[in-house]
Amino acid sequence: MRFGALSLFFTGLIAVAFAAWGYNQYTARRSMEVSLNNRYQRAFYDLLTKTQNVEVLLGKGLVVNGREQSSAIFASVWQQSMMAQEDLGQIPVSPQLTGRTAKFLSQVGDYANTLVRRAGTGAPVTKEEWQRVKSLYNQATILNRELHQVEARVAKGGADFWEIPRAMASGSKGEMGPPQHADFRAMNREMQTYPTLVYDGPFSDHMERRNPLGLTGPVISAATARDRALAWIDRSPGTTYTAKVTGLVRGRIQSFQVQVSGRRAEAVDRATFLISKKGGHPVMLVTGRKIGAPKVGIAEAQRRAEGYLTKIGLGKMRLTYGIRQNGIATFTFAGEEQGTVIYPDLVKVSVALDNGRVTGMEASGYLMAHHARGALQPKISMEQARAFLSPNLKVENSRLAVIPTDGGNEKLTYEFKSTLGANTFLIYIDAANGEEAQVLQLFTSPDGILAM
């Protein structure tokens, strides 16, 4: 009788302890879900704001006539579309569902940048350019309409963005899955009904029709793609990582989509890798976790970004620009050959400033453009090129640089970083004949440096 009472007591004690453990696990999981959902919602509303700004600014671009006003408006369009791309990348939706939207935002930014440069030459806006801006405005209107439909669902309280990566991890396919997944699928489908923009800018469809020059090596298997994703993920100490191939992304660079998950006590890291089918090159990395308060300085973040490039086999790169946004530092690196900076070979690496780990990488530019270029020999000297600069400029430094040109070609130039009063410019002089190839202005802010 006494033994039976003791057994009953210990059984009850174990049951209570198990219930308490289960409750703690539930509350911890719920806290993580709420935190993730808040982060994803913030990214979504930021995206909504930026795309609304793009639509309004494009509308203004249709009616302004002054060169200075036009230049200022399209510079803002470029900035807002670039920031919208960053926000879109933070939303936990498959890149396959946001690809057309991301392409549209990229084209808006690139075309706006082209118009800014054209306005700088004093050339008037042509009828064809006005029609292209109008087409972009119409597409921006459609995009905002679709985004507002997603917003309406969020406002009704029926949306949990954190469900999307969970559904993706569990392998949900087809039209089923979280409501937001279906919304973004519909939005992507809507955007595909519009023709792509065609213009002579460096990122036009003419460029996209090129074959990628940087894909080398044999076609790899899905198992090899999985192993490479595990090797290239920026690991957190004490975390166990697993990976599985969840699909094949088509396009100019066909890639395996690999989901990587890292588990440790009370935390789960998730990341999506795109590994090229030919050669097994890293194309893109996107992670989805909450970024905490900054604890890592920019210099340390840059060192870690450079270390990551070495890890994925792209060590010989040169930092060009950097920007800090929402607790993440994004560094843009260009290739380097024979002491010359190669701007078409671009790679971006993002580092979280809370723990210094790499949260994002984008190497499609590098893979599209990189190739053996042979000897990079200028036909005029640097001093001869300097003579073509405005005498009002004060040159701070100079170097050889390969830049992309309209139509998808490349040009060897001398890059002169110069100042005029408080403004800083990058002047590119053709190393073959001394003609001015391009002029960019550098804008410095607390978040980084932008070149326009």
Side-chain angles (χ1 to χ4, degrees):
M1 182 68 182
R2 189 174 179 184
F3 177 76
L6 282 173
S7 297
L8 188 61
F9 171 75
F10 282 115
T11 301
L13 189 62
I14 292 172
V16 170
F18 186 77
W21 177 83
Y23 180 74
N24 285 335
Q25 290 295 307
Y26 168 77
T27 55
R29 176 186 170 187
R30 186 57 189 154
S31 176
M32 185 185 73
E33 291 172 352
V34 171
S35 177
L36 275 176
N37 204 45
N38 289 342
R39 179 195 169 197
Y40 294 146
Q41 284 202 24
R42 185 175 66 247
F44 171 75
Y45 281 110
D46 286 347
L47 170 66
L48 188 62
T49 301
K50 307 294 173 26
T51 54
Q52 284 177 332
N53 291 342
V54 168
E55 179 186 345
V56 171
L57 288 165
L58 286 172
K60 292 181 180 179
L62 290 171
V63 297
V64 297
N65 198 28
R67 183 163 62 94
E68 291 185 0
Q69 277 190 313
S70 176
S71 180
I73 285 173
F74 287 113
S76 297
V77 170
W78 174 81
Q79 184 182 43
Q80 292 293 314
S81 60
M82 189 182 71
M83 293 169 70
Q85 288 182 68
E86 293 281 343
D87 295 327
L88 183 64
Q90 297 291 319
I91 296 175
V93 180
S94 165
Q96 291 170 292
L97 297 185
T98 58
R100 186 63 187 88
T101 305
K103 181 178 180 180
F104 166 72
L105 292 171
S106 175
Q107 286 187 324
V108 169
D110 292 338
Y111 193 58
N113 197 12
T114 298
L115 292 179
V116 171
R117 296 203 309 270
R118 182 174 172 79
T121 66
V125 176
T126 66
K127 187 177 180 180
E128 286 186 350
E129 289 170 340
W130 190 90
Q131 287 292 347
R132 287 169 186 152
V133 173
K134 186 178 180 182
S135 174
L136 291 172
Y137 172 77
N138 291 336
Q139 292 183 63
T141 302
I142 296 295
L143 175 59
N144 276 309
R145 187 190 69 193
E146 297 295 325
L147 285 173
H148 278 296
Q149 290 183 6
V150 182
E151 182 194 22
R153 191 186 295 276
V154 173
K156 288 181 180 178
D160 281 322
F161 282 92
W162 67 269
E163 291 178 349
I164 297 177
R166 189 181 67 170
M168 292 170 65
S170 64
S172 294
K173 295 179 179 178
E175 296 293 338
M176 301 301 289
Q180 303 79 10
H181 223 177
D183 288 338
F184 280 98
R185 189 189 303 277
M187 184 175 73
N188 203 47
R189 205 158 40 210
E190 185 70 28
M191 295 300 291
Q192 285 177 336
T193 63
Y194 277 78
T196 55
L197 180 68
V198 178
Y199 67 103
D200 294 329
F203 300 100
S204 69
D205 282 355
H206 176 74
M207 288 284 288
E208 292 188 358
R209 284 195 293 270
R210 294 189 315 163
N211 291 321
L213 303 176
L215 295 182
T216 57
V219 173
I220 65 167
S221 65
T224 300
R226 182 198 59 208
D227 293 343
R228 293 192 179 183
L230 281 173
W232 290 332
I233 194 72
D234 194 3
R235 293 171 175 261
S236 175
T239 303
T240 301
Y241 288 90
T242 59
K244 64 177 181 180
V245 175
T246 57
L248 183 65
V249 177
R250 302 192 182 278
R252 301 310 306 166
I253 304 177
Q254 286 197 23
S255 307
F256 289 107
Q257 179 175 300
V258 186
Q259 296 291 330
V260 181
S261 299
R263 297 182 181 278
R264 63 181 186 278
E266 299 182 357
V268 177
D269 286 344
R270 288 193 175 91
T272 300
F273 245 119
L274 296 184
I275 309 291
S276 70
K277 191 174 180 181
K278 178 174 173 52
H281 302 281
V283 181
M284 183 179 291
L285 166 67
V286 179
T287 62
R289 70 171 180 83
K290 180 181 179 182
I291 306 298
K295 297 178 182 176
V296 177
I298 292 297
E300 175 63 15
Q302 178 185 332
R303 188 185 68 77
R304 298 196 182 196
E306 292 168 343
Y308 188 75
L309 287 177
T310 301
K311 182 176 183 176
I312 61 176
L314 298 175
K316 198 170 184 181
M317 305 289 287
R318 185 182 294 187
L319 178 68
T320 55
Y321 306 108
I323 190 168
R324 178 174 55 194
Q325 189 179 33
N326 299 327
I328 295 175
T330 298
F331 302 97
T332 301
F333 295 89
E336 181 178 358
E337 295 179 22
Q338 306 165 45
T340 301
V341 59
I342 312 294
Y343 281 111
D345 294 0
L346 285 182
V347 178
K348 293 181 181 178
V349 179
S350 297
V351 178
L353 297 178
D354 58 348
N355 60 11
R357 289 178 54 209
V358 171
T359 61
M361 183 277 305
E362 209 273 311
S364 58
Y366 178 91
L367 295 174
M368 288 297 296
H370 181 67
H371 64 282
R373 293 180 169 85
L376 299 171
Q377 293 294 334
K379 294 183 179 178
I380 62 175
S381 69
M382 185 171 290
E383 286 306 314
Q384 289 174 317
R386 186 190 292 259
F388 289 98
L389 295 176
S390 166
N392 298 317
L393 289 169
K394 179 181 179 182
V395 177
E396 292 186 347
N397 56 54
S398 56
R399 60 184 178 184
L400 277 171
V402 171
I403 63 172
T405 65
D406 294 351
N409 297 313
E410 296 180 348
K411 183 175 290 185
L412 179 62
T413 66
Y414 286 104
E415 177 189 76
F416 293 95
K417 184 178 181 181
S418 311
T419 58
L420 179 62
N423 298 319
T424 302
F425 299 89
L426 294 176
I427 315 292
Y428 295 88
I429 301 297
D430 193 322
N433 52 28
E435 291 182 356
E436 191 174 82
Q438 195 173 68
V439 179
L440 300 176
Q441 184 172 357
L442 297 181
F443 294 90
T444 302
S445 73
D447 293 333
I449 298 177
L450 296 177
M452 296 176 57

